[in-house]
Structure formats: C-alpha cells, structure tokens
Amino acid sequence: METMIAFCNILRKDIETYYLKPPNISWGIIFPLSWTLMQFIRSQGTTGIRELLPGLMAMSVLFGSTSMLAVTITFERSSHSFDRLLLAPISINTLVLAKILGAVIFGTLNAFVPVVFAAFFINLKGINWGITAIAVISIAITSALLGLLIAISAKEVFEAQTFSNFFRFPMLFLCGLFIPIDKLPAMLKAISFCLPLTYGTDILNGMIAGNSIFSTPLNISIMLVFVVFLFYLCQKNIKEKWIL
Amino acid sequence: MEIVKVTNLKKLYGEFPAVNEISFSIEQGEVFGFLGPNGAGKTSTIKMMIGLSRPTSGQIMIDGIDAIKDIKKVQKFIGIVPDENNLYAEMNGFDNLCFCASLYGIGKAKREKRAMELLEQFNLTKAAKYPFKTYSKGMKRKLTIAAGIIHNPKILFLDEPTTGIDVESARQIRELILNLKKQGKTIFITTHYIEEAERICDRIAFIVEGEIVKIGKVTEVLRDAEREHKIKLQLSSSIKNIKEELENNFINCKVKLLDENSCLFISKEPIALFPILQLLDNTGISVYEAKELKPSLEEVFVKITNINPKTKNEQEKVGK
C-alpha cells in the first residue's frame, strides 16, 4: 500500500508537472500532424494514408516517450530533486516503473493523434485495435526505457536532447517507418533487426496496412525480450551511475 | 543507547580518499555536529550514511540495521535535508510537502494535515500556495527542512542547514533544530559554522582531509583546548603603570593590556582572583567586571587543524 501511494504520486506529479504543460500537449499534436502532411504532400497522393499511418504512429510514440523522459529526469537530476526520489524508501524498480509510466501514457496518446486525423479521410474499420494498442504500448515502453538510458548517461538537459536525437532520427529511417526494411542495404538491414522499434512498427504495419515481415506473436515476443533487457540495463546503470 | 555506529568508513574517488577510515557513533536523542572546512569529507560521509553514495569499505549501522545492505529499510525512519534545496521549483510549498510525504507512503488526509502543521510551525502558511521557485533563500531552506521531517523521522541528517541564508532565517532554523532535539530526535548535522555547532550540538567531530582529528562533547573539546586560563578585567582606570608590578606579584600570570580600561590575565594555572582585586584596590583602581574567557570552538578548530576557517573562506571567495 505504501509503495502504491509513492508510485501513484510520482506518476501524478510527472503528469501534472511535465506532461500536461501546454507546450508538450501542442507538441504532441503539431508534430505528428506536420509529419502526416509532409509525407502526404511528398508522395503527391500516391501513398495512401493507410500505408503512412503505422510509420506516423510509431514515430509519434517514439518521440513522445523518449524525449520527455530523458529531459525531465536530466532536469530533475541537475536540480537535485531526483535525489529526493532516490532517498525515498521505495525500490529502484518502483521508481523506474513510475517514471516510465508517465512517458508511456504520453507516448501512447501521441500515437493516436495521427489515427484521429486519419479517421477523417479513410475508413479504419477492420483494424485489430487490441493488437495495435499492444504494439503502441510496447513501442512506448521500449522508447521510454531508451529515454531513461539516455537520462542515466546525460548530465545536462542539452546532452539528453543531443543523445536522444542521435539515436531517434536514424531509427526513423532504419525501422521500417517510412522506408520498407527490405529496401535497405544489407548492413543497414542487420542494424534494423537489432532495434526494438522495427518489431513494433512491423506489428502496426501488419494490423493497419497488412504487410508485416514477421508474425504478430513473434514480434510481440521479441518486444517483450527488449522490454526485459532494457529494464534490466536501466536498473543496473542507475545503481552504478546514480548511487556512486 | 547508540543509534548510529560508523566503523572504518572509507570512500575513494579514484585514488583520492575523500573519507579515510573514520569511526564514530551517535547516541539516541543527541545532536552530533560534523565540522570541517569545505572539501573535508563532510558531505561524502553524509551521502554514504543516507544511501546516495556507496562506501569503498567500512560499516554503517543505523538503529541496528546495516545501512549499506538495507538502506531502503533505513530510509523509512531517517529524514534528510541536503546541502542544496531539492524541492520541485514549479510546485507550491504545500504540494511539495504533500509529495514528499507520499514518498513515505503517507495517505492523502494524513499528509495534508501534516503539511499544514509544518507550514505553520515554519511560518510558511502564507506562502503555502506559491511556487517554490518564488521563495527567498531562507524560506526555501525552511521548506526543505520541513520536507525532511514530514514523515516524523527518528534521525535527521542536516547537511549545512544554514549556509548561504540570512541571519534571521539561520537563527530560526537553529531554534527549529533545538525544538526537534527537545522532541527526542537524533540529529546529525554537518556545518562549517563553528558558532552554530557550539550553540546546538551535544558532541562534535572535526574532520579534516577525510579524517576525524577530534571528537567529543563540546564542553570536553573546549576543556582540552584550554591550555590557558584567561580572565578579562574591566577597570576604572588604566593599569599601564603597574603592569610590571602585577606580573612580578603574580609570577604565573601574563598581563595583556586590551585598551585604556581593560586588561587580560593569562596563565597556565587557574587564576586566583581575590589577590589581584586586592592589589588593584590598594593602588586605587576599581574592578567593575571580571570575566573568565573560554576559548571558542573556532579557536579550538584552529588549534587542532592549523586551519583558520575565516582565512580559508576568504581565500575560497577570492578563488571563486
């Protein structure tokens, strides 16, 4: 019960203090919208919205989950308020879960902004929204954990932003969001299969556009492995780098 | 009863020993002062004790629990006030306190009541709904202390509680610490303000370059440093002309003229006052006041460490 109170309040504090601020809400709407328009204009209408939608959703959740967590934790660490969380009688696991849950919720909601826009132009019937939600949430979790890994390494907010962009932008092109993986050179394809976003996007491609590489159960299993691995890595790095 | 026991605690940063095999214990209900100049190892020690830093070697037992192995158990009943205010700038005072209480698993109604009580106790009720970032330095410090005791801890760790704040706020904070002591809290306080330690601590330890060079009750530490007895006399007129006569009569005493109407008798032996008063009376000089001068902790600190804190602070300011 005591742990639950602490957990819920860390989550609530993050949502109120960071995620519900007007710049973040507007960013969460404007960013996916502008990418949708850009992709649509670039393809001169030859690419259907349904084909663009999985990539846009994956991108929205990736940016929504990684950027906020990396920046807010680095900010809290530089202002020492994060020490207060480390000094609380709650386990590192509880702390990590509470911190990433805010980012996961924010990223997941971001992912559905392009869906809302798309619903005005195309018929979205027939999509398995349950599996789609699982894909979005699993991308959000892995992205949030990647954001946390960045936060562990970064000392300043600008460092966190630089590190985030360093891996986020290549992922846009490597994980099958806008360029199909089978069109990538062999070396880049190999890198692509090492990234969790590839599998999450593949589920979305399968559910929305009907063209996935792997089966949904395999993609979900691989995502789960990534979640466990990244969680372990975060936990280990926090103990090593934050408690010196 | 010992509530904190630190044994051979060591912290190396690379090859540099920030804390070098220190040992000490703290009794329940005691205010224990940890004194030393900047960079002496005070914050490194406190960070190891509260679980923000891992010792290289040694043992820390807090209320019978191994604080290195089971720090989360210890954190339930300790309160921490770090040297830098670490509350949330955007949140108001009341919300900050409620949030800190929630980290200890305190339910909504109870934490709100406790937050209001503390805001009142710390004279911050009017500022309760203002964001923390708008507070003055003294107010920030007080709220940080309030956050440190929101869960009613048994032991309170205070790292430099009055550094960088105005005189009035510092005085209020010292009073608050003494009130907490009256409530039976055990307090571990680090400071480089010697006068502060003298006023509020039961026992003190001097730490220099990572090593404890002196430890004991404030009175004992002062007594040990009393290699000289000093009596200051306030007189009706100058004793310039009879200084030699006084020194000849009281061969163990050195007489030092302070100003026209006051002087200092210094001796390695206890000074018998009556013969001095008699001699002065015979020469027509009245003594208005006689006062035994005790060495201040600052003098003791200088004697023990050969570091003059004032000079050191000034040098640091110039360096900055």
Side-chain angles (χ1 to χ4, degrees):
Chain A
M1 185 61 186
E2 286 178 358
T3 305
M4 203 56 202
I5 291 174
F7 178 89
C8 292
N9 278 279
I10 295 171
L11 176 62
R12 203 186 72 163
K13 187 267 299 167
D14 277 2
I15 290 172
E16 286 177 359
T17 315
Y18 306 118
Y19 297 109
L20 288 183
K21 293 286 180 210
N24 296 325
I25 295 171
S26 59
W27 188 82
I29 296 168
I30 291 166
F31 189 65
L33 178 64
S34 51
W35 268 78
T36 310
L37 287 173
M38 187 184 81
Q39 290 292 328
F40 198 63
I41 292 164
R42 191 175 157 267
S43 69
Q44 293 176 321
T46 54
T47 309
I49 291 175
R50 207 172 177 109
E51 283 72 40
L52 285 174
L53 193 57
L56 287 165
M57 287 174 74
M59 184 200 67
S60 301
V61 70
L62 170 73
F63 275 74
S65 302
T66 51
S67 54
M68 282 307 290
L69 193 68
V71 169
T72 57
I73 290 186
T74 314
F75 172 73
E76 285 187 1
R77 283 188 63 209
S78 60
S79 66
H80 299 277
S81 48
F82 199 76
D83 285 353
R84 198 159 276 285
L85 304 179
L86 290 174
L87 291 169
I90 49 169
S91 67
I92 296 285
N93 287 352
T94 309
L95 173 57
V96 170
L97 283 172
K99 293 303 278 187
I100 67 163
L101 189 56
V104 169
I105 294 169
F106 185 70
T108 303
L109 292 175
N110 260 12
F112 286 95
V113 172
V115 177
V116 172
F117 287 122
F120 288 106
F121 302 100
I122 56 167
N123 186 356
L124 295 173
K125 273 183 187 166
I127 293 171
N128 186 335
W129 290 110
I131 302 287
T132 304
I134 290 173
V136 167
I137 292 167
S138 61
I139 297 172
I141 296 172
T142 50
S143 303
L145 288 168
L146 283 170
L148 185 57
L149 272 179
I150 292 166
I152 296 165
S153 309
K155 285 195 174 86
E156 300 290 339
V157 173
F158 74 88
E159 272 182 25
Q161 286 168 327
T162 311
F163 289 157
S164 301
N165 291 334
F166 186 75
F167 81 84
R168 275 190 314 200
F169 282 100
M171 279 166 87
L172 288 183
F173 304 102
L174 289 171
C175 297
L177 275 71
F178 304 108
I179 303 164
I181 290 173
D182 53 18
K183 286 186 182 168
L184 293 173
M187 202 184 77
L188 293 181
K189 210 183 274 184
I191 297 171
S192 163
F193 289 132
C194 296
L195 300 167
L197 188 62
T198 301
Y199 304 95
T201 310
D202 199 44
I203 304 173
L204 293 176
N205 274 325
M207 291 300 114
I208 298 167
N211 54 355
S212 62
I213 304 169
F214 305 110
S215 70
T216 305
L218 179 66
N219 277 327
I220 292 175
S221 305
I222 295 171
M223 286 302 271
L224 274 176
V225 172
F226 269 112
V227 168
V228 173
F229 173 68
L230 288 170
F231 190 85
Y232 165 77
L233 213 60
C234 286
Q235 195 194 37
K236 187 174 169 283
N237 281 6
I238 285 172
K239 282 181 185 166
E240 281 173 9
K241 293 191 176 172
W242 284 349
I243 303 168
L244 298 168
Chain B
M1 192 189 116
E2 268 176 8
I3 197 161
V4 176
K5 188 165 172 63
V6 171
T7 315
N8 299 329
L9 190 65
K10 187 172 186 171
K11 178 71 185 176
L12 291 174
Y13 289 111
E15 295 287 300
F16 175 72
V19 176
N20 201 0
E21 305 230 334
I22 61 168
S23 298
F24 61 90
S25 59
I26 306 173
E27 296 289 314
Q28 192 158 6
E30 185 176 56
V31 180
F32 186 83
F34 214 49
L35 282 90
N38 290 338
K42 302 187 298 289
T43 300
S44 292
T45 305
I46 216 170
K47 278 189 169 175
M48 286 188 278
M49 294 172 80
I50 61 176
L52 266 189
S53 172
R54 221 171 268 123
T56 307
S57 61
Q59 197 185 36
I60 304 166
M61 298 295 289
I62 299 181
D63 204 18
I65 301 169
D66 187 332
I68 298 168
K69 283 184 188 155
D70 265 330
I71 189 62
K72 291 294 161 191
K73 273 188 193 166
V74 171
Q75 284 171 342
K76 279 185 184 174
F77 61 84
I78 62 170
I80 298 137
V81 181
D83 56 345
E84 286 182 78
N85 302 318
N86 62 357
L87 294 171
Y88 293 89
E90 302 292 331
M91 281 163 74
N92 67 42
F94 177 74
D95 288 346
N96 258 306
L97 290 184
C98 287
F99 175 68
C100 291
S102 74
L103 295 177
Y104 293 87
I106 300 170
K108 194 170 184 278
K110 205 174 162 190
R111 65 176 179 251
E112 285 183 354
K113 187 173 172 266
R114 176 84 176 132
M116 287 312 293
E117 278 169 12
L118 285 172
L119 286 166
E120 204 179 314
Q121 190 187 335
F122 285 70
N123 291 326
L124 291 169
T125 311
K126 281 181 189 166
K129 292 290 170 190
Y130 292 117
F132 183 66
K133 64 181 177 188
T134 62
Y135 282 26
S136 70
K137 276 185 183 176
M139 287 161 79
K140 279 183 179 167
R141 206 72 196 122
K142 284 195 273 185
L143 195 74
T144 308
I145 295 175
I149 58 169
I150 190 86
H151 57 298
N152 206 11
K154 262 191 203 175
I155 307 168
L156 184 63
F157 290 86
L158 291 157
D159 197 1
E160 308 275 1
T162 57
T163 301
I165 58 170
D166 62 282
V167 179
E168 179 53 21
S169 298
R171 191 191 62 77
Q172 284 177 10
I173 287 171
R174 277 185 214 112
E175 267 176 32
L176 289 165
I177 295 168
L178 290 171
N179 277 339
L180 290 169
K181 191 196 166 192
K182 276 182 201 160
Q183 290 167 29
K185 308 275 180 215
T186 305
I187 299 168
F188 180 93
I189 177 172
T190 74
T191 180
H192 58 256
Y193 295 136
I194 284 159
E195 303 82 0
E196 182 170 278
E198 200 172 357
R199 275 183 222 170
I200 60 178
C201 296
D202 299 309
R203 279 196 314 134
I204 49 167
F206 284 111
I207 182 167
V208 179
E209 291 174 358
E211 291 182 14
I212 290 180
V213 291
K214 188 89 185 168
I215 189 165
K217 286 187 177 173
V218 178
T219 46
E220 283 170 6
V221 172
L222 287 173
R223 200 189 310 135
D224 290 350
E226 279 179 17
R227 290 177 197 139
E228 291 173 333
H229 296 263
K230 290 177 186 172
I231 291 182
K232 186 184 173 187
L233 299 180
Q234 199 66 41
L235 309 161
S236 58
S237 55
S238 174
I239 55 159
K240 212 185 259 180
N241 299 331
I242 57 160
K243 182 176 179 275
E244 229 171 272
E245 190 188 339
L246 282 167
E247 281 179 337
N248 289 338
N249 275 283
F250 306 104
I251 47 169
N252 292 329
C253 283
K254 245 176 87 179
V255 179
K256 194 176 167 186
L257 302 174
L258 297 175
D259 56 47
E260 272 299 301
N261 295 335
S262 66
C263 68
L264 200 61
F265 280 72
I266 306 163
S267 169
K268 287 188 178 171
E269 309 292 324
I271 302 166
L273 195 56
F274 186 68
I276 299 172
L277 298 181
Q278 215 169 22
L279 195 145
L280 288 171
D281 193 46
N282 290 343
T283 52
I285 298 170
S286 303
V287 179
Y288 296 142
E289 190 184 18
K291 194 175 171 186
E292 187 183 11
L293 295 187
K294 294 268 179 194
S296 68
L297 268 179
E298 183 160 330
E299 285 169 308
V300 179
F301 184 81
V302 174
K303 268 184 189 164
I304 292 167
T305 62
N306 287 324
I307 297 168
N308 187 332
K310 279 179 186 162
T311 321
K312 192 173 164 70
N313 285 345
E314 274 157 21
Q315 281 169 350
E316 276 162 4
K317 274 178 202 165
V318 171
K320 274 174 195 172

